Amino acid sequence: MRLIVTAALYLALAACATRPPAPVEQPRPAPQPGPRVSGDLIGLTVNELGQRFGQPTFQVREGPGLKLQWSGGGCVLDVFLYTPADGRGAERVTYVDARRPTGDPTDQAACIAAIDAAA
């Protein structure tokens, strides 16, 4: 009988125990486009890129941005343009990525030079 009473007492005390509140997962802010890679392409407009490299091999609108792509010389150059934060003016390059056709990373400056030479 003592065992039953003791067990009931422990169960009653355990039921009264408070649990800490479950942690609330904070939403992560969306990545903001911005100049993460320095280079002479940052800040150029679509027209300026076209004058330098010619017609892109691929172009797609991705959310608020525009992605242009050139390929040649064993590399693929992805250029991302966004409207200035104040909403005024032409879209400008804020991020540049260079890779091999296989997807492996490559030297950005060498890729830009190869695309320049092919234009």
Side-chain angles (χ1 to χ4, degrees):
M1 182 73 170
R2 269 196 209 162
L3 184 59
I4 294 173
V5 173
T6 304
L9 182 61
Y10 279 119
L11 288 174
L13 287 175
C16 294
T18 60
R19 293 183 183 170
V24 177
E25 186 175 324
Q26 297 295 325
R28 292 183 179 175
Q32 296 297 314
R36 298 189 315 184
V37 177
S38 62
D40 60 347
L41 301 182
I42 301 297
L44 295 181
T45 65
V46 171
N47 290 338
E48 293 167 333
L49 290 168
Q51 290 172 359
R52 181 165 178 180
F53 299 125
Q55 188 71 23
T57 55
F58 180 74
Q59 177 177 330
V60 65
R61 175 111 358 229
E62 291 183 345
L66 176 65
K67 175 184 173 182
L68 302 178
Q69 185 179 88
W70 287 268
S71 59
C75 74
V76 177
L77 183 67
D78 294 316
V79 180
F80 299 86
L81 299 94
Y82 293 89
T83 304
D86 64 6
R88 298 180 183 176
E91 294 174 311
R92 296 193 174 270
V93 176
T94 59
Y95 182 74
V96 178
D97 185 47
R99 57 188 166 82
R100 297 185 192 285
T102 60
D104 297 323
T106 190
D107 180 66
Q108 185 183 52
C111 184
I112 291 171
I115 301 292
D116 252 340

